[in-house]
Each structure stands twice: as structure tokens, then as C-alpha cells.
Amino acid sequence: MIDAGIEAAGFAADVMDPASVAAAFDRVKERFGQVDVLEYSPAPHNPAPGLSNPTPVEAGHVSIQPQIDHYLYGGLAATEQVLPGMIERGSATISCTTGGSSMDPMAGPAEFTATAIGSSAHARSLLRP
């Protein structure tokens, strides 16, 4: 492995728990300072309570709430931690993808496309005045 002079570290958080996300970002900021780039790409965790891919007939408030918590609210919790500083500096790079699509956009079923597109659209909407 070539030493590129890049320091990296991992900071675990439960994306379905906004307090856990905030605590992880506190540790990130303590170690590295300001966050210049946020790439939100939650991987399904085990166990992921209720996280499933319901069919259109099965989709309802109860069945999709875990998806909303995981992909949307987790992304919002992460974005809330970095966006104020990015706005203050006048520079923001935020990308929201899903775990699988961040590695290979064609890896999952076609139904997952909407989740990946929606995740990225969410990040863009936060940055528009």
C-alpha cells in the first residue's frame, strides 16, 4: 500500500438514532475539525428492526417507517451536523446514496433506484436557498 499521507478513522453511529449520529460527529470534529465533505451511505445493520423492502401493496406508514428513519432521517441527522459550518464557510459537498449504490449503482434490483435517487435529491434540496 502506498502512503498517500491521508489520515482516516472510523466513527460508529446508529443512523436510526439522531443522538448517536450527533455524538459520532462530535468525535469526528474533535479529531479532524470541520467536515468538508459528507457522503451519507448507510449500510443495513444487523439487526435492522423492521427494515424491509415492502411491495407497493404492503407499503404503508408502519412498513416504510424504518426505511424513512434509516435513509431519510439518518441523512438529515448527519446533514444537520455539518451543514451550518458548510454554509458559514460558503462551501458544501454532500452526497447521499444507499449502501449498495455507493459501491455499484447497478448491483440491486431496479426498485432500489428510487431510494438512491431520492437520497441524492434530499441532499440537493437542503442546499438550495
Side-chain angles (χ1 to χ4, degrees), residues 9-31:
F11 301 90
D14 179 350
V15 299
M16 295 174 81
D17 176 8
S20 174
V21 173
F25 274 97
D26 287 344
R27 294 188 304 273
V28 169
K29 293 171 189 173
E30 181 180 304
R31 174 133 179 218

mmCIF file of all heavy atoms in Angstrom, residues 9-31:
data_model
loop_
_atom_site.group_PDB
_atom_site.id
_atom_site.type_symbol
_atom_site.label_atom_id
_atom_site.label_comp_id
_atom_site.label_asym_id
_atom_site.label_seq_id
_atom_site.Cartn_x
_atom_site.Cartn_y
_atom_site.Cartn_z
ATOM 1 N N ALA A 9 -10.103 7.507 9.916
ATOM 2 C CA ALA A 9 -10.581 6.875 11.140
ATOM 3 C C ALA A 9 -12.065 6.592 10.986
ATOM 4 O O ALA A 9 -12.754 7.243 10.197
ATOM 5 C CB ALA A 9 -10.335 7.782 12.340
ATOM 6 N N GLY A 10 -12.552 5.626 11.723
ATOM 7 C CA GLY A 10 -13.967 5.294 11.707
ATOM 8 C C GLY A 10 -14.645 5.770 12.978
ATOM 9 O O GLY A 10 -14.048 5.737 14.057
ATOM 10 N N PHE A 11 -15.880 6.211 12.850
ATOM 11 C CA PHE A 11 -16.670 6.687 13.982
ATOM 12 C C PHE A 11 -18.059 6.083 13.863
ATOM 13 O O PHE A 11 -18.873 6.546 13.060
ATOM 14 C CB PHE A 11 -16.746 8.216 13.988
ATOM 15 C CG PHE A 11 -15.397 8.862 14.062
ATOM 16 C CD1 PHE A 11 -14.700 9.170 12.906
ATOM 17 C CD2 PHE A 11 -14.811 9.140 15.282
ATOM 18 C CE1 PHE A 11 -13.445 9.748 12.958
ATOM 19 C CE2 PHE A 11 -13.549 9.722 15.346
ATOM 20 C CZ PHE A 11 -12.867 10.033 14.184
ATOM 21 N N ALA A 12 -18.327 5.052 14.618
ATOM 22 C CA ALA A 12 -19.590 4.325 14.512
ATOM 23 C C ALA A 12 -20.750 5.134 15.068
ATOM 24 O O ALA A 12 -20.608 5.876 16.042
ATOM 25 C CB ALA A 12 -19.481 2.993 15.259
ATOM 26 N N ALA A 13 -21.902 4.986 14.421
ATOM 27 C CA ALA A 13 -23.140 5.602 14.879
ATOM 28 C C ALA A 13 -24.309 4.774 14.388
ATOM 29 O O ALA A 13 -24.224 4.124 13.345
ATOM 30 C CB ALA A 13 -23.262 7.032 14.355
ATOM 31 N N ASP A 14 -25.393 4.815 15.135
ATOM 32 C CA ASP A 14 -26.634 4.191 14.704
ATOM 33 C C ASP A 14 -27.425 5.259 13.968
ATOM 34 O O ASP A 14 -27.928 6.199 14.587
ATOM 35 C CB ASP A 14 -27.414 3.672 15.910
ATOM 36 C CG ASP A 14 -28.737 3.022 15.535
ATOM 37 O OD1 ASP A 14 -29.158 3.129 14.357
ATOM 38 O OD2 ASP A 14 -29.363 2.424 16.420
ATOM 39 N N VAL A 15 -27.536 5.161 12.647
ATOM 40 C CA VAL A 15 -28.181 6.210 11.857
ATOM 41 C C VAL A 15 -29.667 6.343 12.162
ATOM 42 O O VAL A 15 -30.289 7.326 11.777
ATOM 43 C CB VAL A 15 -27.966 6.019 10.340
ATOM 44 C CG1 VAL A 15 -26.492 6.064 9.997
ATOM 45 C CG2 VAL A 15 -28.621 4.745 9.831
ATOM 46 N N MET A 16 -30.230 5.385 12.870
ATOM 47 C CA MET A 16 -31.638 5.477 13.252
ATOM 48 C C MET A 16 -31.795 6.157 14.613
ATOM 49 O O MET A 16 -32.896 6.252 15.135
ATOM 50 C CB MET A 16 -32.278 4.095 13.224
ATOM 51 C CG MET A 16 -32.315 3.522 11.799
ATOM 52 S SD MET A 16 -32.902 1.829 11.672
ATOM 53 C CE MET A 16 -34.669 2.099 11.745
ATOM 54 N N ASP A 17 -30.687 6.638 15.171
ATOM 55 C CA ASP A 17 -30.696 7.322 16.466
ATOM 56 C C ASP A 17 -29.956 8.650 16.313
ATOM 57 O O ASP A 17 -28.725 8.688 16.338
ATOM 58 C CB ASP A 17 -30.014 6.442 17.512
ATOM 59 C CG ASP A 17 -29.878 7.103 18.869
ATOM 60 O OD1 ASP A 17 -30.444 8.197 19.088
ATOM 61 O OD2 ASP A 17 -29.197 6.514 19.733
ATOM 62 N N PRO A 18 -30.693 9.775 16.140
ATOM 63 C CA PRO A 18 -30.040 11.072 15.903
ATOM 64 C C PRO A 18 -29.015 11.460 16.971
ATOM 65 O O PRO A 18 -27.998 12.067 16.658
ATOM 66 C CB PRO A 18 -31.212 12.059 15.877
ATOM 67 C CG PRO A 18 -32.375 11.244 15.442
ATOM 68 C CD PRO A 18 -32.156 9.881 16.061
ATOM 69 N N ALA A 19 -29.233 11.084 18.225
ATOM 70 C CA ALA A 19 -28.261 11.397 19.278
ATOM 71 C C ALA A 19 -26.954 10.652 19.040
ATOM 72 O O ALA A 19 -25.868 11.191 19.286
ATOM 73 C CB ALA A 19 -28.842 11.060 20.651
ATOM 74 N N SER A 20 -27.042 9.436 18.549
ATOM 75 C CA SER A 20 -25.841 8.655 18.233
ATOM 76 C C SER A 20 -25.076 9.293 17.077
ATOM 77 O O SER A 20 -23.840 9.358 17.087
ATOM 78 C CB SER A 20 -26.245 7.215 17.882
ATOM 79 O OG SER A 20 -25.143 6.466 17.446
ATOM 80 N N VAL A 21 -25.808 9.788 16.073
ATOM 81 C CA VAL A 21 -25.177 10.471 14.935
ATOM 82 C C VAL A 21 -24.472 11.734 15.412
ATOM 83 O O VAL A 21 -23.313 11.994 15.061
ATOM 84 C CB VAL A 21 -26.222 10.800 13.842
ATOM 85 C CG1 VAL A 21 -25.610 11.663 12.745
ATOM 86 C CG2 VAL A 21 -26.801 9.515 13.256
ATOM 87 N N ALA A 22 -25.143 12.520 16.251
ATOM 88 C CA ALA A 22 -24.542 13.761 16.770
ATOM 89 C C ALA A 22 -23.282 13.456 17.579
ATOM 90 O O ALA A 22 -22.267 14.146 17.438
ATOM 91 C CB ALA A 22 -25.559 14.528 17.616
ATOM 92 N N ALA A 23 -23.330 12.416 18.406
ATOM 93 C CA ALA A 23 -22.157 12.051 19.216
ATOM 94 C C ALA A 23 -20.991 11.628 18.329
ATOM 95 O O ALA A 23 -19.833 11.978 18.594
ATOM 96 C CB ALA A 23 -22.527 10.935 20.187
ATOM 97 N N ALA A 24 -21.275 10.892 17.264
ATOM 98 C CA ALA A 24 -20.204 10.478 16.351
ATOM 99 C C ALA A 24 -19.576 11.689 15.680
ATOM 100 O O ALA A 24 -18.349 11.780 15.549
ATOM 101 C CB ALA A 24 -20.754 9.504 15.297
ATOM 102 N N PHE A 25 -20.404 12.655 15.252
ATOM 103 C CA PHE A 25 -19.855 13.855 14.625
ATOM 104 C C PHE A 25 -19.071 14.702 15.618
ATOM 105 O O PHE A 25 -18.102 15.358 15.234
ATOM 106 C CB PHE A 25 -20.938 14.667 13.924
ATOM 107 C CG PHE A 25 -21.187 14.202 12.524
ATOM 108 C CD1 PHE A 25 -22.222 13.328 12.239
ATOM 109 C CD2 PHE A 25 -20.354 14.605 11.489
ATOM 110 C CE1 PHE A 25 -22.432 12.881 10.947
ATOM 111 C CE2 PHE A 25 -20.559 14.159 10.196
ATOM 112 C CZ PHE A 25 -21.605 13.294 9.925
ATOM 113 N N ASP A 26 -19.459 14.683 16.884
ATOM 114 C CA ASP A 26 -18.655 15.367 17.900
ATOM 115 C C ASP A 26 -17.250 14.775 17.946
ATOM 116 O O ASP A 26 -16.259 15.506 18.016
ATOM 117 C CB ASP A 26 -19.312 15.265 19.281
ATOM 118 C CG ASP A 26 -20.534 16.145 19.435
ATOM 119 O OD1 ASP A 26 -20.735 17.068 18.601
ATOM 120 O OD2 ASP A 26 -21.310 15.909 20.395
ATOM 121 N N ARG A 27 -17.160 13.437 17.866
ATOM 122 C CA ARG A 27 -15.847 12.772 17.876
ATOM 123 C C ARG A 27 -15.062 13.082 16.600
ATOM 124 O O ARG A 27 -13.846 13.288 16.643
ATOM 125 C CB ARG A 27 -16.019 11.265 18.067
ATOM 126 C CG ARG A 27 -16.596 10.907 19.437
ATOM 127 C CD ARG A 27 -16.591 9.409 19.732
ATOM 128 N NE ARG A 27 -17.273 8.588 18.746
ATOM 129 C CZ ARG A 27 -18.568 8.310 18.737
ATOM 130 N NH1 ARG A 27 -19.358 8.800 19.667
ATOM 131 N NH2 ARG A 27 -19.086 7.528 17.811
ATOM 132 N N VAL A 28 -15.768 13.135 15.463
ATOM 133 C CA VAL A 28 -15.110 13.480 14.194
ATOM 134 C C VAL A 28 -14.513 14.882 14.277
ATOM 135 O O VAL A 28 -13.347 15.103 13.949
ATOM 136 C CB VAL A 28 -16.106 13.399 13.008
ATOM 137 C CG1 VAL A 28 -15.511 14.017 11.751
ATOM 138 C CG2 VAL A 28 -16.537 11.961 12.747
ATOM 139 N N LYS A 29 -15.329 15.839 14.720
ATOM 140 C CA LYS A 29 -14.886 17.240 14.794
ATOM 141 C C LYS A 29 -13.753 17.409 15.796
ATOM 142 O O LYS A 29 -12.837 18.201 15.575
ATOM 143 C CB LYS A 29 -16.064 18.140 15.143
ATOM 144 C CG LYS A 29 -17.106 18.212 14.037
ATOM 145 C CD LYS A 29 -18.358 18.940 14.508
ATOM 146 C CE LYS A 29 -19.482 18.831 13.502
ATOM 147 N NZ LYS A 29 -20.745 19.390 13.999
ATOM 148 N N GLU A 30 -13.809 16.650 16.892
ATOM 149 C CA GLU A 30 -12.736 16.719 17.894
ATOM 150 C C GLU A 30 -11.414 16.239 17.303
ATOM 151 O O GLU A 30 -10.365 16.820 17.555
ATOM 152 C CB GLU A 30 -13.118 15.852 19.100
ATOM 153 C CG GLU A 30 -12.096 15.858 20.213
ATOM 154 C CD GLU A 30 -12.545 14.980 21.369
ATOM 155 O OE1 GLU A 30 -13.647 15.204 21.893
ATOM 156 O OE2 GLU A 30 -11.785 14.063 21.737
ATOM 157 N N ARG A 31 -11.465 15.212 16.486
ATOM 158 C CA ARG A 31 -10.232 14.642 15.922
ATOM 159 C C ARG A 31 -9.751 15.379 14.678
ATOM 160 O O ARG A 31 -8.562 15.609 14.498
ATOM 161 C CB ARG A 31 -10.467 13.180 15.579
ATOM 162 C CG ARG A 31 -9.295 12.548 14.853
ATOM 163 C CD ARG A 31 -8.911 11.243 15.414
ATOM 164 N NE ARG A 31 -7.812 10.665 14.699
ATOM 165 C CZ ARG A 31 -7.696 9.382 14.443
ATOM 166 N NH1 ARG A 31 -8.620 8.550 14.838
ATOM 167 N NH2 ARG A 31 -6.654 8.923 13.809
#
